[in-house]
Every structure is written in C-alpha cells, then in structure tokens.
Amino acid sequence: MPEQTAYTPTGRTVPTRSRERASYDRAVVHSILDAAYVCHLGFIRDGAPVVLPTLYARVGEHLYVHGSTGSRPLRMAGQGDPGLAVCVTVTHVDGLVLARSAFHHSINYRSVVVQGIAHPVTDPEEKRVSLDALVDHVVPGRSADSRPANAKELASTAVLRLDLAEVSAKCRAGGPGDEPEDLGLPHWTGVVPVRQAYGALVPADDLADGIAVPEYLARFPGPDSS
Amino acid sequence: MPEQTAYTPTGRTVPTRSRERASYDRAVVHSILDAAYVCHLGFIRDGAPVVLPTLYARVGEHLYVHGSTGSRPLRMAGQGDPGLAVCVTVTHVDGLVLARSAFHHSINYRSVVVQGIAHPVTDPEEKRVSLDALVDHVVPGRSADSRPANAKELASTAVLRLDLAEVSAKCRAGGPGDEPEDLGLPHWTGVVPVRQAYGALVPADDLADGIAVPEYLARFPGPDSS
C-alpha cells in the first residue's frame, strides 16, 4: 500500500482556532520537522505539565529524542510498560507581523505538534541509527566525522521513539490582516522577517594545528541560510 | 522588604541532570525571558500533555500569555476556580557544539522553565497593560504606534497571568568537553554560533505612500543583532 500523503486528523489534532492554518500534509510536516533540531517535549510529572527543550531527529515516520538514562522523562518512559504520554512541539518563527491595530499583530511561524506515547528504544541497531540521526540532524555529515559512542556511552544514553501518527502542522505567512476601517491609519505596517543565522566557526581552544574545517562545515548550513 | 535576588529552588525546579547548569538568579531568569517572545506553553488536556507555541511578555514578577477566548488553554483556565496548571518554557539556541566524540556533541543554550497555575486576567487595567506589554515585548515602542484594542477586540481576547515563583534557568556555554583520551583524534572540533537574525522590513501591500519607517523599527532590534 502506498504511503498516504496526509496524517488523519483526530479530535486532538484539530485546532479550535484558526483551522485554516492547520495542515496534515505529510510533506509539510516533514519539512518543518527536518528544518529544526530543538523541540519542546511535554510530559506529565506528579500530575503537572513539564516542558523541556531537547534535541530530536526524524527517521521516516518516527521521531527520536535522547538524553541521559538519569533524566526524568527518559527514566519515566522506561519504567512503565505503556511508555510515556508526550507532546513534541517544533516551532520556527519566520516574521513579526505589524498591523495597524494592536489586535491584529501576529507572528509568521511554522509549527508541528506530535502527540503520542514515547517508548524507549531497546534494539541496539535502532539505537545506533537514531543516535547517528540525532547528530546528523543538527549538522549533516557529522556522525561519520566523530568518534562513535562506546559501550559505556551507549549504556548511559537513553533514546525515546515516538511514532508520527497524531500530527498536525500550523503555519501563518504573509502580511497583516487589518480591518477595512483601519486601512487609512497613519501607522507603518508590514513584516519584519526573522530567521536562524549561523556565525563564523569558533575552533575549540585545544584544536590541534593542521586540522582543516571539513567540507560539510565550510558550507554549513547552506548558501541561503547564513 | 527588598526583592530577593534569587528564586527559591523547589523539588520541581532542581534538575536531575547537569545541576551545574541550573540557575535561580532573578537577573539571569529575567534576561532570558526578556530576550525572547515565543514560549512553549504546556498544559494537560484530557489527561495528556499538550505543548503550544505562543507569545508572552514579562511584567515584573508576572508572565502574561494571551489568545482568543475560544482557544483551549485560555478557555480551560477560565473554567475552573483553581486556574490551569501550566509550564512555560523559553529557549534560546546559541551554538552547536561539535565534539570529537559523538557522545559529547551538545547545544549551547539558555532556557527558563516556569511552573505554576495560570489565572485569567479579569481586571481591565491589568488586561490593558499586559496586552500593551505583549506587543512591546516583540517590538519595543510598537503599542504606542498602533490602534489600541476596542471593546469588542478586548472582549474576544483572553489573557492569562502566571506568577514567577517556581522558576529555574538552565544554560550551557563554551566549547566541547571531550574526554582526555580523545584529544588526539583528527576531527575538527568547536562551536557553530547560532542567533536569531532579522531581515529587511517588508512593507504591507496596502501601505500608503508617504508613511515612513518609524525610528523604533529603523534600528530594530539593535545594532548587534542583525
């Protein structure tokens, strides 16, 4: 059966507001997820919500997050058979939308919300692949140019897998949406574009002489992004 | 009584991992909160965690988030007398830390996690001040240069207040922390700096001729940030 082009909306993934901004398109969701590397991971601890920033990577229809085996969410996910109920949210800010009215000020953004149950990765091969993906998701090509984790490091790292099933994207783009009666007001109106930018590489203090900047870093993160 | 210089750590705000990265210093927390405008708001809906990106502003020792009166968290907070248990997390990514070993790869970041009970703002003056703060937190000076919300707009906007009480910051800075036995490996090692950057203003399609870019936008967001 061919892969479906969209995620199936559920009661939890249909927003109550601004439904026209929602998307379940698989390609849209993947592009938003693949363009970032820090997510906000939500879970419940002692009956209260907790949100922590953490690295993630997508491999096919799975999201992986990792951390020390001692960290709270990774410990909690490994303790119960049913896994850990989580919400993983990824957000790009693309612009500040300055309307003539305070009310219509907004943000241009692309976000993805994934809800589901996170399970610890126990298969050694899946763990290796997911850890490489976590490194390569931040800097493509980097995992092959670093020392792989040894047995002790692997044992102290926990990886959680979350299936991409209950997923929605939400995006806003374009200019302000002022009321018709405000169009004559004298305030400047438009968008301030926002992007993630990367600075010049800072070599480590103890970097040995003669180690050149590798090709994948020299052109990082691509010609249009710096 | 003079304001205390630090938040009191609680069982919920002391991290299980990397405690040396944690801070409860009020000035550190304020500076991290004031340098961003999008937070990730976590709450519990039907027993599951939900994390949504939203705008926020700090006014003294309060955080404000706002949204339509129809949005889920704002509706939920207004329904119960005890308010809504939330976690608000703000994260800046400052650098990609490339170690010689895959295991020691990391991110330089500054984050703040605020836990507590969010309450709807019902006082009209507090609501007005907090809505101005939400606009000015994104672009300082903007609220005075836009049409204020009218009665209908105010009625359709809900604002939540969260006290800064259970608060912690967590920061990583500096270069990679490789193991001594890895220092001779041939991999380039160091940091790729990351920052939020702002592009040239994009005027709205219907901006009238003769409306100049105001001073607070001409120099936005400051000389060192673009």
Side-chain angles (χ1 to χ4, degrees):
Chain A
M1 202 171 71
E3 190 179 59
Q4 294 185 310
T5 58
Y7 297 103
T8 306
T10 72
R12 304 202 299 184
T13 64
V14 175
T16 48
R17 299 289 306 172
S18 305
R19 291 191 184 184
E20 74 287 358
R21 295 182 186 169
S23 169
Y24 305 91
D25 185 85
R26 217 172 274 266
V28 170
V29 167
H30 288 183
S31 74
I32 293 170
L33 291 175
D34 293 351
Y37 35 79
V38 172
C39 67
H40 281 80
L41 170 72
F43 58 101
I44 299 173
R45 188 176 69 209
D46 299 334
V50 180
V51 179
L52 300 178
T54 191
L55 291 171
Y56 73 93
R58 179 184 73 87
V59 178
E61 293 298 326
H62 303 302
L63 275 194
Y64 293 96
V65 301
H66 77 320
S68 155
T69 49
S71 77
R72 279 200 180 99
L74 291 123
R75 224 167 45 193
M76 290 169 69
Q79 278 165 352
D81 200 33
L84 179 69
V86 299
C87 179
V88 170
T89 300
V90 172
T91 306
H92 301 266
V93 176
D94 296 326
L96 314 178
V97 182
L98 307 183
R100 297 168 180 92
S101 59
F103 182 76
H104 282 295
H105 276 63
S106 189
I107 295 278
N108 283 339
Y109 65 94
R110 291 161 292 144
S111 69
V112 163
V113 175
V114 184
Q115 293 170 273
I117 307 294
H119 295 278
V121 171
T122 52
D123 178 73
E125 176 62 13
E126 183 180 8
K127 191 167 178 179
R128 194 190 60 71
V129 168
S130 60
L131 288 173
D132 282 352
L134 281 154
V135 170
D136 287 330
H137 187 53
V138 179
V139 178
R142 182 67 186 177
S143 74
D145 185 28
S146 55
R147 174 179 66 68
N150 60 33
K152 184 182 159 199
E153 291 168 345
L154 279 174
S156 70
T157 306
V159 179
L160 296 183
R161 181 189 60 238
L162 173 64
D163 291 344
L164 292 177
E166 277 201 87
V167 184
S168 60
K170 212 169 171 186
C171 305
R172 189 202 189 279
D178 267 314
E179 303 294 331
E181 60 267 31
D182 289 334
L183 297 182
L185 292 176
H187 311 300
W188 188 90
T189 176
V191 173
V192 186
V194 182
R195 69 182 196 287
Q196 190 103 296
Y198 296 86
L201 299 179
V202 179
D205 292 341
D206 54 11
L207 179 66
D209 291 341
I211 297 187
V213 172
E215 171 68 9
Y216 62 83
L217 280 177
R219 52 184 163 79
F220 182 84
D224 299 326
S225 315
S226 63
Chain B
M1 202 170 73
E3 192 178 59
Q4 294 185 310
T5 59
Y7 298 102
T8 305
T10 72
R12 305 203 298 184
T13 64
V14 175
T16 47
R17 300 289 307 171
S18 304
R19 290 191 185 185
E20 74 286 359
R21 295 182 186 169
S23 169
Y24 305 92
D25 186 84
R26 216 172 276 265
V28 169
V29 167
H30 288 184
S31 74
I32 293 170
L33 291 175
D34 293 353
Y37 36 78
V38 172
C39 67
H40 281 80
L41 170 72
F43 57 102
I44 299 173
R45 188 176 69 210
D46 298 335
V50 181
V51 179
L52 299 178
T54 191
L55 291 171
Y56 73 93
R58 179 183 74 87
V59 178
E61 292 299 326
H62 303 302
L63 274 195
Y64 292 97
V65 301
H66 78 320
S68 156
T69 49
S71 77
R72 280 200 179 98
L74 292 124
R75 223 167 45 193
M76 290 169 69
Q79 278 165 351
D81 201 34
L84 179 69
V86 300
C87 179
V88 170
T89 300
V90 171
T91 306
H92 302 266
V93 176
D94 294 328
L96 315 178
V97 182
L98 307 183
R100 297 168 180 90
S101 59
F103 183 76
H104 282 294
H105 276 63
S106 189
I107 296 278
N108 283 339
Y109 65 94
R110 290 162 291 144
S111 69
V112 162
V113 175
V114 185
Q115 293 170 273
I117 308 294
H119 295 279
V121 171
T122 52
D123 178 73
E125 176 63 12
E126 183 181 9
K127 190 167 178 178
R128 194 191 60 73
V129 168
S130 60
L131 288 173
D132 282 352
L134 281 154
V135 170
D136 287 331
H137 187 54
V138 179
V139 177
R142 181 67 187 177
S143 74
D145 186 27
S146 55
R147 174 178 65 70
N150 58 34
K152 185 183 157 198
E153 292 168 345
L154 280 174
S156 70
T157 306
V159 179
L160 296 183
R161 182 188 60 238
L162 173 64
D163 292 344
L164 292 177
E166 278 202 84
V167 184
S168 60
K170 211 169 172 186
C171 305
R172 189 202 190 280
D178 267 314
E179 303 295 331
E181 60 267 31
D182 288 334
L183 297 183
L185 292 177
H187 311 298
W188 188 91
T189 176
V191 174
V192 185
V194 182
R195 70 183 196 286
Q196 191 102 297
Y198 296 86
L201 298 179
V202 180
D205 292 339
D206 56 8
L207 179 67
D209 291 340
I211 296 186
V213 173
E215 171 68 10
Y216 62 84
L217 279 178
R219 51 184 165 77
F220 182 82
D224 299 326
S225 314
S226 65

